Amino acid sequence: MNRIIFFSAVILAVIVISCGRSQKEQESRGTVPPVTIIDKGFSKYISAYTSGIISSGSTVQIVFTPEFAASIDRNKTQGLFTFDPSIKGTTEWADDLTLLFRPAKPLQPATNYEGTLDISRLGTVEERFRFFPLSFSTIEKNFTVTLNPVSADLPDGETYTLTGVLVTSDYTDPAEVEKYLTAGAGKRDEKIVWEHDSNNNHTFTVEKIARQSEESELKVAWNGNPYGIKAKGEIAVTIPAKGKFTVTDLKVSAGDSKSVEIFFSDLIDPEFEPEGVVTMRPSHPLTVTAEGNRMLIIPGDYVIGETEITIDGALRNTRGEKLGEPVTRGINFTPVMPGIKAVGKGTIMPSSGSLIFPFMAANLSAVDLTIIKIFENNLPWFLQQNSMGEANVYNDVKRFGRPVYRGRISLTGDAGFDPNRYNLFTIDLANYIDPEPGILYRIELGMWPSYSLYPCSSKPEKSKYEEMLDLADLDREWEGSDNYYQFSEEGLFYEYAYDWRERENPCREAYYSPYKKLVRNILASDLGIMVKNGTDNNLRIFVNDLQTAQPVEGATAEIFDYQMQLIGTAVTDRYGVAALPCTRKPSLVIVRKESNRNYLSLNDGAALSMSSFDVSGEMPQEGIRAFIFTERDVRRPGDTIFVGLIVKDVASSLPAGHPVHFELINPMGQRVDDQVAALNDQGFITFTTLTSADAVTGNYRAQVRIGGASFSKTIKVETVKPNRLRIKLDFPYAVAGGESRAVRGDMKVSWLNGTVARDLKTTVDLLLKPVKTTFERYGQYNFDDPVARFWFESQTIFDGSINSSGEAVVSFTPDDELNAP
């Protein structure tokens, strides 16, 4: 059977299975959009469009090809779209390629929409491509409610506060959300205070819940039926009686950072020392903190599975009453939910023949690897709408690249693998593709239900969702407009696995959404670029070698505007610097040298933040530019202050010896110093001033006047407590091991002001990493054993305190089982 016939069989199977579903089953999964087959010929005019399941607040977008967009009449925006059911709205251009239809009000939830776009009104097209078909569906309305344990109110704990979160599946009017939920104690309705954010999270608070003489209940109920939502329920929250000191709730965080929160009916005595009041069986070191009526317990080592925690009866509340009998609770530190995380934030990797991609994963036996190559001629257009350093599964890359590799990467064969925590893995992309310098690759790591190692009571060997993924030709969605959304990975997920209620349940297929992929961009290049643009419209480009940090001479820099039209080119000098005057606003810089190239977007908002640095300088006044600086940021009262001044006479109007007037003004506006100095021909002046030992602290102002121009700078004078340490740790040998396996090091600790640090708790962790064995004269030989594999986890080699002299001895012996290559 050839590939085309095989794919047709898959389509037929999917349609038959879809049509055979019961109405009840489709309702449980959410709205499934109808199948719409798109003629491949539309790819000459349209490169992307809205399809699949969308939010009710979305717009309908059509992205045209650059060739067709060049001939479009953008003045015609009326009567282009028709929809069934009808949608009222306006049509507008988002940019040169993208046409938007903006609905006048949110779309109806859980509704299938069919539509057409009359392309012939925009430009000349073949008759059979006059109307472009559209098909999409909106998300079904739904919500979930989560309650937090009640917290006792200060100062006496006689009232409680209850908080919770209501999460909606799609955007919902906050006024409607507030009608879903009610709270009441007995026959009395409690007031609910709401906070709404833009991520469909609606936080609610019930304040001042009174404690009664007897134990009572606060009922929190929700009902979405009047608004077309099949969600209804009720939770009764117990409110302890007055004068009764008990444990009311226990909350376990069994993720990668494990902890236990214990909630009490009363406020805990803040003077009571919590250390030692809580124990765990099996025994583990614990860190215990108490605040309000909440106690937080963090195990000091790795805990997994079932254990018991006991709170000693000596614990006191603010009234001095003890808990009484010890309280024991069983807890279960269940494994981490399956997931994939990124490591670091870098995008550009120096070329070295390999392209190492690090990531972390938990409770997965494997991951799906997809490598997408963004073609070089498309990269400038890609950077118009995307950031090189930020990538997510929602970015549209089909217009700019294609997959060059798909495969499955096993994660369980490595030594030291622990599925119950996030483990670090690396993939050498050079094993799967031939990395090209200056080419951007998008890396996608996904997970299937069968990859899960999470302990569930039952899990099928292979689900219908995965069977269809095995059969589907996923590369078809990259064939222009003929994307067959329903047979893409996302489309199959919504057809066979999606259930909004089970989206956070790792024992259900709905948890393993394609939208949970880890997505990163990787660029292989040796060129690092920095660009500065001044008020003189001169663009300065700095190019350095990322491997040696040396300037790159002879690199060609091309500067483009937003329409990707060349503004000009420049070549870097021996300092790695090139400058070019820009008559138009630059948008992109491309730097090339031999086979190496790199790209830097200059779009608004892409510049590095300078908020942590004083880079503002001073604007010219009366033809004079002046910059005031000091040798450090903060001083103590009584310190000498050196204020430097650099003056540039732009208008050449200052005679030699012109007086410069300096004043130091304290936070109360009082002048505490007044000096006059003559301006020399170099333009540098230093004023030496000081404050008294008992001077008021705060923001002082150094003010300099040169003729009619005035310049100032804030100088902070504060009482500073040293809180930084100098740590010196010396080992006698550069190489550990050999005949003397034990390694001993001396540690010396002091405060930065020179004072000895005494009796401080100190922890030293050891992490060993393998390096390649090389000798200068024998580079052609390999001295490492290719069979031996080296694995080592971080371990604590010193956990104690330094002595009264700030000293300690650190010693360790490398593990005999280490098989160093």
Side-chain angles (χ1 to χ4, degrees):
M1 182 180 294
N2 63 40
R3 190 174 186 83
I4 296 176
I5 298 174
F6 173 79
F7 187 71
S8 301
V10 174
I11 295 175
L12 179 60
V14 174
I15 294 175
V16 170
I17 293 169
S18 176
C19 294
R21 293 188 181 277
S22 66
Q23 181 68 21
K24 181 178 180 181
E25 188 175 355
Q26 290 205 21
E27 289 177 355
S28 69
R29 292 182 178 274
T31 302
V32 178
V35 175
T36 300
I37 304 301
I38 307 296
D39 192 317
K40 190 174 181 179
F42 279 110
S43 61
K44 293 187 295 183
Y45 312 107
I46 294 175
S47 61
Y49 57 93
T50 296
S51 62
I53 298 179
I54 65 174
S55 169
S56 60
S58 299
T59 59
V60 179
Q61 300 187 33
I62 305 292
V63 182
F64 296 98
T65 61
E67 295 78 13
F68 182 65
S71 63
I72 284 178
D73 182 0
R74 289 179 175 76
N75 295 320
K76 296 180 180 180
T77 58
Q78 301 299 318
L80 297 177
F81 290 94
T82 59
F83 295 100
D84 182 23
S86 178
I87 306 175
K88 293 183 179 180
T90 58
T91 305
E92 60 189 59
W93 287 93
D95 54 43
D96 292 342
L97 303 178
T98 307
L99 181 67
L100 291 183
F101 177 81
R102 194 179 302 278
K105 61 180 181 179
L107 302 175
Q108 291 297 317
T111 303
N112 295 329
Y113 286 91
E114 300 285 339
T116 58
L117 167 65
D118 189 349
I119 308 178
S120 64
R121 294 175 60 88
L122 297 172
T124 303
V125 297
E126 298 178 39
E127 180 62 27
R128 69 190 183 100
F129 299 128
R130 178 180 174 182
F131 295 102
F132 178 73
L134 293 165
S135 176
F136 54 88
S137 299
T138 49
I139 299 173
E140 179 186 9
K141 285 178 69 174
N142 213 324
F143 67 85
T144 57
V145 177
T146 304
L147 298 181
N148 300 318
V150 293
S151 59
D153 298 332
L154 296 172
D156 52 14
E158 292 300 311
T159 59
Y160 285 111
T161 295
L162 173 70
T163 61
V165 179
L166 187 152
V167 182
T168 56
S169 61
D170 194 9
Y171 171 78
T172 307
D173 189 335
E176 179 181 318
V177 172
E178 294 181 8
K179 297 176 183 178
Y180 295 161
L181 199 74
T182 59
K187 297 181 179 180
R188 185 183 70 257
D189 290 336
E190 298 286 351
K191 181 182 177 182
I192 302 177
V193 179
W194 290 88
E195 290 184 10
H196 310 277
D197 66 17
S198 58
N199 297 319
N200 301 332
N201 295 322
H202 309 269
T203 304
F204 58 88
T205 304
V206 182
E207 300 175 330
K208 303 297 181 183
I209 306 169
R211 297 176 68 176
Q212 309 296 330
S213 56
E214 299 291 336
E215 187 178 275
S216 59
E217 286 186 345
L218 173 74
K219 290 186 178 180
V220 179
W222 57 91
N223 185 6
N225 293 350
Y227 306 94
I229 303 174
K230 298 176 182 179
K232 186 177 181 180
E234 180 181 277
I235 294 179
V237 180
T238 301
I239 306 300
K242 288 182 178 180
K244 188 177 181 181
F245 186 31
T246 61
V247 175
T248 59
D249 210 338
L250 187 142
K251 188 176 179 181
V252 178
S253 174
D256 206 30
S257 300
K258 295 176 170 59
S259 64
V260 180
E261 291 178 282
I262 304 175
F263 296 84
F264 298 86
S265 58
D266 288 326
L267 298 170
I268 300 172
D269 185 355
E271 297 183 0
F272 188 87
E273 177 55 51
E275 291 290 342
V277 75
V278 179
T279 56
M280 187 176 286
R281 193 177 64 177
S283 178
H284 294 275
L286 304 174
T287 299
V288 183
T289 57
E291 182 179 3
N293 68 322
R294 168 182 170 271
M295 184 177 286
L296 177 64
I297 298 97
I298 302 176
D301 54 11
Y302 187 59
V303 184
I304 188 66
E306 296 183 356
T307 185
E308 282 188 348
I309 197 164
T310 301
I311 305 101
D312 194 279
L315 181 67
R316 297 193 307 266
N317 62 15
T318 52
R319 297 191 301 273
E321 299 169 348
K322 294 184 178 180
L323 190 62
E325 295 294 327
V327 178
T328 301
R329 294 283 190 274
I331 57 177
N332 184 15
F333 286 107
T334 55
V336 180
M337 292 200 295
I340 310 171
K341 290 182 178 180
V343 176
K345 296 181 179 181
T347 299
I348 301 172
M349 293 188 179
S351 59
S352 58
S354 62
L355 210 58
I356 304 300
F357 178 72
F359 67 97
M360 300 184 76
N363 262 323
L364 291 172
S365 63
V367 292
D368 275 342
L369 169 65
T370 302
I371 304 175
I372 301 168
K373 177 181 178 180
I374 308 298
F375 298 111
E376 183 178 5
N377 60 328
N378 288 338
L379 191 50
W381 299 99
F382 173 82
L383 293 176
Q384 255 197 351
Q385 302 179 19
N386 303 273
S387 169
M388 185 180 292
E390 295 181 4
N392 61 65
V393 74
Y394 299 99
N395 289 147
D396 177 24
V397 296
K398 296 176 186 176
R399 299 159 50 196
F400 310 106
R402 290 186 66 92
V404 292
Y405 178 82
R406 292 184 188 272
R408 178 179 179 272
I409 307 298
S410 176
L411 303 180
T412 57
D414 297 333
F417 173 75
D418 183 354
N420 296 322
R421 66 170 67 185
Y422 273 92
N423 298 266
L424 177 64
F425 301 94
T426 57
I427 298 175
D428 187 352
L429 303 179
N431 293 334
Y432 309 100
I433 62 171
D434 293 324
E436 300 178 45
I439 295 296
L440 185 68
Y441 295 95
R442 171 174 156 139
I443 312 302
E444 295 183 353
L445 294 179
M447 53 184 179
W448 286 14
S450 60
Y451 300 167
S452 172
L453 298 177
Y454 192 88
C456 299
S457 57
S458 63
K459 187 172 64 173
E461 288 297 322
K462 180 169 285 192
S463 64
K464 191 65 179 179
Y465 167 49
E466 293 193 62
E467 288 181 8
M468 299 309 297
L469 282 174
D470 283 337
L471 293 174
D473 181 2
L474 298 180
D475 286 338
R476 287 299 294 266
E477 63 176 302
W478 296 81
E479 300 293 340
S481 297
D482 189 8
N483 70 355
Y484 290 94
Y485 171 80
Q486 282 71 23
F487 313 113
S488 67
E489 191 173 354
E490 292 82 3
L492 292 173
F493 170 76
Y494 279 109
E495 173 71 13
Y496 293 99
Y498 177 70
D499 187 341
W500 186 80
R501 299 174 185 84
E502 301 290 351
R503 69 194 189 283
E504 297 300 331
N505 185 351
C507 294
R508 295 291 183 268
E509 294 173 343
Y511 177 84
Y512 302 89
S513 166
Y515 295 106
K516 290 185 178 179
K517 288 180 179 179
L518 171 62
V519 181
R520 293 292 295 271
N521 293 331
I522 298 293
L523 179 74
S525 177
D526 292 334
L527 302 177
I529 311 172
M530 182 169 61
V531 174
K532 294 184 179 181
N533 193 8
T535 56
D536 56 359
N537 292 326
N538 276 338
L539 201 69
R540 292 168 177 83
I541 301 116
F542 304 82
V543 184
N544 290 80
D545 189 310
L546 291 178
Q547 297 195 68
T548 64
Q550 295 300 312
V552 176
E553 182 180 1
T556 302
E558 300 173 321
I559 297 90
F560 296 84
D561 61 15
Y562 187 73
Q563 288 73 33
M564 295 300 119
Q565 301 304 302
L566 184 66
I567 297 177
T569 61
V571 179
T572 57
D573 58 18
R574 62 192 182 94
Y575 301 107
V577 181
L580 183 76
C582 294
T583 56
R584 303 189 300 276
K585 184 177 181 181
S587 178
L588 179 70
V589 173
I590 303 178
V591 175
R592 310 173 190 270
K593 182 167 185 185
E594 299 173 353
S595 62
N596 259 299
R597 50 199 179 277
N598 203 346
Y599 307 79
L600 183 62
S601 174
L602 305 182
N603 293 333
D604 293 338
L608 296 177
S609 173
M610 296 294 177
S611 59
S612 300
F613 306 94
D614 182 7
V615 296
S616 58
E618 293 284 354
M619 295 299 294
Q621 298 182 38
E622 306 291 336
I624 300 170
R625 299 188 69 175
F627 180 69
I628 305 173
F629 62 95
T630 56
E631 84 283 7
R632 64 179 190 266
D633 290 335
V634 183
R635 293 153 192 81
R636 299 180 182 88
D639 283 356
T640 301
I641 304 172
F642 299 96
V643 180
L645 177 67
I646 304 175
V647 180
K648 183 175 182 180
D649 184 8
V650 180
S652 302
S653 59
L654 295 179
H658 191 284
V660 178
H661 187 194
F662 167 81
E663 293 177 308
L664 182 64
I665 301 171
N666 69 14
M668 295 181 291
Q670 300 169 333
R671 185 171 57 189
V672 296
D673 195 4
D674 189 346
Q675 302 180 34
V676 177
L679 185 66
N680 61 24
D681 55 355
Q682 299 296 322
F684 286 83
I685 302 177
T686 300
F687 296 97
T688 303
T689 185
L690 54 83
T691 58
S692 61
D694 57 351
V696 62
T697 60
N699 290 333
Y700 283 63
R701 187 172 82 254
Q703 183 166 303
V704 175
R705 290 201 297 271
I706 309 171
S710 179
F711 306 90
S712 65
K713 178 181 177 61
T714 299
I715 297 177
K716 293 183 177 295
V717 177
E718 303 288 351
T719 302
V720 181
K721 178 182 179 181
N723 64 343
R724 295 293 182 268
L725 294 169
R726 178 186 291 109
I727 303 174
K728 185 178 181 181
L729 180 58
D730 286 332
F731 291 97
Y733 306 108
V735 179
E739 296 179 357
S740 177
R741 296 187 59 83
V743 180
R744 171 192 170 103
D746 297 320
M747 180 164 55
K748 177 75 174 179
V749 185
S750 63
W751 297 103
L752 287 184
N753 63 1
T755 306
V756 174
R758 295 181 173 87
D759 305 318
L760 295 180
K761 179 175 173 56
T762 307
T763 303
V764 180
D765 290 343
L766 170 69
L767 177 63
L768 300 182
K769 296 182 179 180
V771 296
K772 183 175 179 59
T773 307
T774 58
F775 296 93
E776 184 176 352
R777 297 176 57 189
Y778 303 96
Q780 69 272 34
Y781 296 102
N782 183 9
F783 294 92
D784 293 319
D785 183 358
V787 177
R789 302 196 69 183
F790 181 88
W791 298 96
F792 192 85
E793 293 185 355
S794 175
Q795 70 178 36
T796 301
I797 60 173
F798 182 84
D799 189 0
S801 298
I802 55 177
N803 60 23
S804 58
S805 300
E807 299 175 344
V809 175
V810 178
S811 62
F812 68 94
T813 302
D815 194 337
D816 291 334
E817 297 180 0
L818 287 179
N819 189 19

